[in-house]
Amino acid sequence: MHKGVVYALLAAALFGASTPFSKMLVGQMAPVMLAGLLYLGSGVGLLTWYALRFISSRGKQTSGDRLTARDLPWLGGAILTGGIAGPVLLMIGLTLTPASSASLLLNIEGVLTALLAWFVFKENFDRRIFAGMVLIVIAGVLLSWGQSSKLEIPWGSLTIVAACLCWAIDNNLTRKISASDAVQIAGIKGLVAGSVNLLIAVEMGYLVPDVHVIFNAGVVGFCGYGLSLVMFVLSLRHLGTARTGAYFSAAPFVGAGVSLLLLGETPSTVFWIAAALMGAGIWLHLTETHGHKHTHVPLSHAHAHRHDAHHQHEHDFPWDGKEPHVHPHEHDPLTHSHDHFPDIHHRHKH
């Protein structure tokens, strides 16, 4: 299995598994307060990890792929849309929309992510990928529909759709900087978004919960939002936005499965139908092949790499021969043919 797929499925599993635990916490504080603590736990945990890693390696391990000044607009846009605006719009929508409708509408994020990637950011796709995305989305819809036989769509649903659009924009903007350090990206996003959301909650008059509740929310946030986002960024690096979003759409299924285990419920027929559809969609993606003659334009960036067909460059510093290694490097023009994904080296036109 391609490592980009593994990263995406790990991201989905971590995020999906965090949902039942978040539901256990939401009764102990206001939703907007919980959103702030989840993101803050993610940011604090990841930046602590980043600092310890930096100290242990004396700066050598992370010096090559750190965020640069040209990455900041993309990161700022991702934080503003996905870390701040998205959660706030969702909280507003939840006050006006039944939970069953909200769960159903949240599946729109995967669709909007793919549509933006394909038609705005010009990421390549074919009929097989499109069909797989459709099956995964239908599975998510069925899973949400099975939670309630009643579906009501009041005007508040528009804000939830807007929240999904914000996260879709976030996913596509994050792809632009996915070659940079994933831990640094996710850590900064969590710290900034968490702080802003927490300030919003305090300004709205909500009380800060007890220390043990804060700790529990921080742990859930670190795993379900922090580590999940690290895996998501790594998948973006290897698969592109639409394919990563498609695999990440498995998160609701993982969340439902964990909920069934925790609550001891018996899976319904709809659950198994959704599982089969999602499995078929993922199979279509896993068995995809896309290869043709293509030309790599000159490119300069930094990321962990091995000296494969795409990395035949000299070093202007002493190199001990260890791989993978990280440093800024340049790609010369190259024309060849092989199977590939729209990763950081294959964002060419067709």
Side-chain angles (χ1 to χ4, degrees), residues 227-287:
L227 293 179
S228 176
L229 182 55
V230 170
M231 297 295 109
F232 191 89
V233 173
L234 291 174
S235 183
L236 287 174
R237 181 184 301 177
H238 294 286
L239 297 181
T241 312
R243 289 163 178 80
T244 298
Y247 288 116
F248 192 76
S249 296
F253 176 73
V254 175
V258 173
S259 297
L260 291 172
L261 291 174
L262 290 177
L263 301 177
E265 298 177 354
T266 302
S268 64
T269 303
V270 173
F271 179 88
W272 293 116
I273 294 174
L277 288 172
M278 192 165 291
I282 291 176
W283 176 81
L284 285 173
H285 284 254
L286 287 173
T287 55

Side-chain angles (χ1 to χ4, degrees), residues 199-231:
L199 287 174
I200 291 174
V202 172
E203 287 295 321
M204 294 175 68
Y206 295 118
L207 298 177
V208 178
D210 295 336
V211 174
H212 74 281
V213 178
I214 294 175
F215 176 78
N216 291 337
V219 172
V220 173
F222 175 70
C223 296
Y225 289 74
L227 293 179
S228 176
L229 182 55
V230 170
M231 297 295 109

